[in-house]
Amino acid sequence: MNPATANIEEAILSAILAGRINPGTRLGEQKLADLFGVSRTRVREAMMRLETRGVVQVSARRGWFVVEPSADEAREAFQTRRVIETGLLQTLKEVPPDVVRSLKEHVAIEREAIETGDVSSRACLLGDFHIHLADALGNRLLTEIIRDLTARTTLISMLYQPTEKAEESSHDHEDIVAAMEAGDLALAARLMDEHIGKVEAGLDLTAKPDPLAALRELLSPSTFAGNAPSVPHVHAHTHSPSHERED
């Protein structure tokens, strides 16, 4: 793979995992080419690879966009994560002490971010736990798969998750690591299954994301001094995309 293409892929995927890019965000080829100092051909190559990974899609008239998963796609993504991540734990014979130590350190950093109110960091760290788990166990292919799935569920949470339960998620991670440290991998797998199930249950998949949320916020009267016309209210079951997630 061309290094420039890899850099573009990594930058976009990392921004999604950190909750800095919303679902439906347009990714202009020329702007990305200017930003990374590469040709539009290189950008297109990166976009095509991200498309195969289920992160972006292309519109013939409007170009490349970050995907906006449907409710059915959300259910499929969480089902896939439960199968893969619980299966990973079920197939382990033992967990090396250095892996346990690394995961405990990660959970400690999660807790610190939660306690200090570092919203951006905690959102990123909660998702990274699952990627870090696969990576610490030395399975490169599973790490890549879980990373892509986590990116998709991050976008799903932005669309369908009305509230954040960061502290509960971090406690779940702590319990999973404790079971691994105790050598009870069957319990660790069951806790992982329950954890991902709780995250999915916290989504409101009946909600219809508000396509005007960003514009509505920009044009709301509170952003202007003096008298300003009000922004029309859409009478629908909508909520603004959240920049946080629980993973």
Side-chain angles (χ1 to χ4, degrees):
M1 185 193 307
N2 185 285
T5 302
N7 288 341
I8 297 169
E9 273 188 73
E10 178 61 29
I12 292 173
L13 195 61
S14 295
I16 289 172
L17 286 166
R20 296 196 303 269
I21 297 183
N22 286 334
T25 299
R26 185 174 183 274
L27 301 170
E29 286 186 7
Q30 189 57 58
K31 289 184 178 180
L32 286 170
D34 293 343
L35 179 63
F36 286 90
V38 297
S39 68
R40 291 182 63 174
T41 299
R42 294 299 184 202
V43 172
R44 200 169 298 119
E45 289 174 357
M47 293 297 103
M48 290 172 67
R49 288 182 58 84
L50 287 172
E51 184 179 30
T52 64
R53 299 171 72 173
V55 175
V56 305
Q57 59 189 17
V58 66
S59 167
R61 294 184 178 181
R62 301 173 63 202
W64 297 98
F65 290 83
V66 176
V67 297
E68 296 182 272
S70 67
D72 285 341
E73 289 170 332
R75 294 186 186 96
E76 290 174 355
F78 276 96
Q79 181 183 24
T80 303
R81 279 190 60 178
R82 290 173 81 167
V83 170
I84 290 177
E85 296 189 48
T86 58
L88 172 63
L89 291 170
Q90 288 170 345
T91 57
L92 292 176
K93 301 298 183 183
E94 60 179 1
V95 181
D98 61 317
V99 170
V100 172
R101 183 168 55 253
S102 175
L103 291 171
K104 290 175 74 172
E105 289 173 356
H106 185 94
V107 172
I109 297 172
E110 285 181 7
R111 302 296 303 165
E112 182 179 359
I114 291 169
E115 290 168 4
T116 59
D118 190 342
V119 177
S120 178
S121 291
R122 82 186 186 196
C124 186
L125 286 164
L126 288 171
D128 276 351
F129 172 82
H130 298 263
I131 302 166
H132 186 54
L133 173 58
D135 186 51
L137 293 171
N139 192 315
R140 183 183 60 81
L141 180 57
L142 271 178
T143 301
E144 291 178 1
I145 293 171
I146 291 173
R147 194 162 192 255
D148 290 350
L149 282 170
T150 302
R152 284 181 68 81
T153 50
T154 296
L155 296 170
I156 289 164
S157 294
M158 287 182 183
L159 287 170
Y160 300 108
Q161 185 172 289
T163 56
E164 168 65 19
K165 297 182 179 179
E167 189 165 355
E168 182 180 348
S169 280
S170 188
H171 279 306
D172 286 352
H173 294 170
E174 189 173 12
D175 291 343
I176 291 166
V177 175
M180 293 172 68
E181 185 175 25
D184 193 342
L185 298 177
L187 174 60
R190 180 170 62 80
L191 291 173
M192 178 66 79
D193 182 71
E194 292 174 355
H195 167 58
I196 296 175
K198 282 192 289 185
V199 176
E200 182 181 5
L203 305 177
D204 182 3
L205 297 179
T206 65
K208 183 178 180 182
D210 183 0
L212 302 178
L215 183 61
R216 193 186 315 284
E217 183 177 350
L218 288 173
L219 299 181
S220 64
S222 62
T223 62
F224 299 96
N227 296 324
S230 62
V231 179
H233 177 71
V234 177
H235 296 284
H237 184 190
T238 63
H239 65 267
S240 301
S242 168
H243 286 272
E244 293 190 55
R245 66 186 190 274
E246 60 165 311
D247 288 296

